[in-house]
């Protein structure tokens, strides 16, 4: 949950005229937008979950991150009488920051939002989206953007049998083969799913902490480090107690792996999935993720969000990768020319993240001598930096 940086909580723009007024702007066709200042109506709270099914777009996430107060502004988009879009945002001086994150955003809605916000706030110069998956390359406004992460989303069928049949032949063979081997070698193995209402809070806490430890151990076995801070654990435990779906893998009654997903609207967001690294030869991590997806299907979910991290098993389970983009929209090209610091910063970050993705993903997939050399040098540098950090913390 701490993957995305917490959005800053800026002071609201002072002396706003018509504060609290509902402003409507009719656009092309039947599209109508409305802005609720310093307010998030209950219908908008429900619409955010229904429309996006994203934890990072939900009001509950803002509340848990202590970012709900002061109340943000709410932009609502209607089409033919139905709510088709909701965005929460705050204003600091001449900049607007969109708090609704990890959503798909169409060109029509992005332009409608920019038109209505720029029209409502004449002093506004830029609008920033922190983490979205835009379904466009350009707008009627100048913009800059760069890809910084990804979200894997799995569209779920109506039943488990359909999902199993849709997997590739190799994936089904892997899942069946390792699953059968695990049960043959460990006849007391069991997998069970529980809703938050079916597990005592203390059991939920034990499970989350144990899965986090499995995650640390698995990462350490690959010479990596899993950073899980106390604040993130607090948020996870609170969500788990409100909307969690737990998967528990046990051998002889002892926990050896499991998962935690939270339900947002009709979707599940997988927050934790981990297994005892000593059972890696059974591909237990893959099996747990597969069984967890099946549990989501059994509970009528339409999507399962596997979040960030380019792991092969996500594609193996048919999840689609959507780039997460940071995007800045400018009121005009003239305003853009007057803000060289922001323009340069966006351009430099785009180059940095592009280089990072090239080093972490593209180079490692090549087999030529220069690519292998670069991969080894980067791996060595990363190991040295991590070793230095560990030694610094221990002294």
């Amino acid at each position: 949950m701490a993957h995305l940086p917490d959005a800053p909580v800026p002071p609201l723009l002072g002396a706003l005229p018509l504060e609290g007024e509902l402003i409507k702007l009719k656009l092309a066709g039947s599209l109508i937008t409305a802005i609720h200042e310093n307010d998030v109506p209950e219908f908008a709270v429900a619409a955010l979950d229904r429309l996006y099914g994203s934890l990072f777009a939900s009001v509950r996430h803002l509340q848990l991150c202590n970012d709900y107060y002061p109340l943000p502004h709410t932009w609502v988009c209607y089409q033919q009488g139905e709510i088709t879009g909701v965005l929460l945002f705050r204003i600091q001086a001449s900049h607007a920051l969109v708090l609704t994150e990890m959503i798909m955003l169409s060109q029509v809605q992005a332009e409608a939002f920019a038109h209505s916000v720029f029209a409502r706030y004449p002093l506004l110069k830029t609008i920033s989206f922190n983490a979205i998956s835009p379904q466009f390359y350009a707008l009627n406004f100048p913009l800059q953007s760069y890809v910084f992460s990804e979200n894997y989303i799995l569209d779920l069928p109506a039943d488990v049998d359909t999902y199993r049949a849709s997997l590739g032949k190799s994936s089904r063979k892997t899942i069946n083969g390792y699953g059968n081997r695990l049960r043959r070698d460990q006849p007391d193995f069991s997998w069970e799913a529980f809703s938050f209402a079916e597990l005592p809070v203390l059991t939920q806490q034990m499970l989350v902490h144990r899965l986090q430890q499995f995650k640390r151990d698995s990462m350490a076995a690959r010479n990596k480090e899993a950073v899980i801070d106390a604040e993130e654990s607090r948020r996870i435990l609170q969500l788990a107690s409100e909307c969690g779906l737990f998967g528990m893998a046990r051998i002889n009654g002892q926990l050896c792996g499991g998962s935690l997903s939270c339900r947002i609207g009709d979707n599940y967001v997988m927050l934790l999935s981990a297994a005892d690294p000593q059972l890696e030869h059974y591909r237990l991590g893959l099996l747990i993720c597969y069984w967890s997806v099946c549990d989501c299907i059994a509970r009528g979910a339409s999507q399962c969000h596997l979040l960030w991290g380019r792991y092969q098993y996500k594609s193996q389970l048919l999840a689609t990768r959507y780039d997460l983009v940071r995007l800045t929209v400018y009121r005009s090209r003239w305003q853009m020319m007057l803000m060289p610091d922001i323009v340069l910063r966006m351009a430099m970050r785009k180059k940095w993240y592009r280089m990072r993705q090239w080093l972490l993903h593209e180079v490692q997939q090549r087999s030529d001598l220069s690519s292998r050399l670069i991969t080894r040098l980067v791996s060595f540098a990363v190991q040295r930096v991590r070793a230095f950090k560990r030694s610094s913390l221990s002294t």
Side-chain angles (χ1 to χ4, degrees), residues 198-256:
E198 297 173 315
L199 287 181
V201 173
L202 288 178
T203 303
Q204 296 178 20
Q205 294 174 352
M206 178 278 296
L207 178 58
V208 167
H209 291 312
R210 196 75 181 96
L211 292 182
Q212 289 177 331
Q213 188 58 54
F214 284 148
K215 180 76 70 176
R216 292 189 188 94
D217 294 343
S218 296
M219 296 290 282
R222 299 195 297 271
N223 203 24
K224 297 182 179 180
E225 185 178 2
V227 179
I228 304 171
D229 60 27
E231 184 61 25
E232 180 181 7
S233 296
R234 179 191 68 81
R235 291 195 292 263
I236 289 177
L237 287 170
Q238 185 61 45
L239 279 170
S241 67
E242 297 174 3
C243 56
L245 174 63
F246 300 86
M248 298 178 66
R250 288 178 283 199
I251 296 177
N252 296 323
Q254 298 298 312
L255 187 72
C256 61

Side-chain angles (χ1 to χ4, degrees), residues 301-318:
S302 60
Q303 288 184 334
C304 183
H305 292 228
L306 303 183
L307 303 181
W308 45 85
R310 296 191 185 184
Y311 298 110
Q312 190 269 339
Y313 75 87
K314 296 182 180 181
S315 300
Q316 193 173 354
L317 295 178
L318 302 184

Side-chain angles (χ1 to χ4, degrees), residues 39-83:
D39 186 27
V40 184
E42 286 299 321
F43 71 84
V45 175
L48 282 166
D49 292 349
R50 175 179 59 82
L51 290 171
Y52 306 123
S54 168
L55 171 63
F56 298 90
S58 68
V59 167
R60 190 66 185 117
H61 179 254
L62 290 179
Q63 292 171 334
L64 291 174
C65 290
N66 300 316
D67 195 33
Y68 190 57
Y69 294 100
L71 286 174
H73 305 319
T74 303
W75 175 85
V76 186
C77 179
Y78 300 87
Q79 193 162 19
Q80 297 180 349
E82 297 290 333
I83 297 177

Side-chain angles (χ1 to χ4, degrees), residues 182-195:
L182 172 63
R183 291 185 171 92
R184 183 174 61 251
D185 295 348
Q186 307 291 342
D188 290 327
F189 174 83
S190 65
W191 171 265
E192 295 179 276
F194 303 91
S195 72

Side-chain angles (χ1 to χ4, degrees), residues 144-162:
Q144 286 181 288
S145 66
Y146 60 87
V147 176
F148 78 99
S149 190
E150 62 280 322
N151 182 22
Y152 283 81
I153 301 177
L154 178 56
D155 292 319
L156 303 179
D159 58 78
V160 172
D161 289 340
T162 302

Side-chain angles (χ1 to χ4, degrees), residues 11-23:
L12 296 174
L13 185 63
L16 281 175
L18 304 176
E19 185 169 339
E21 179 185 357
L22 177 66
I23 302 104

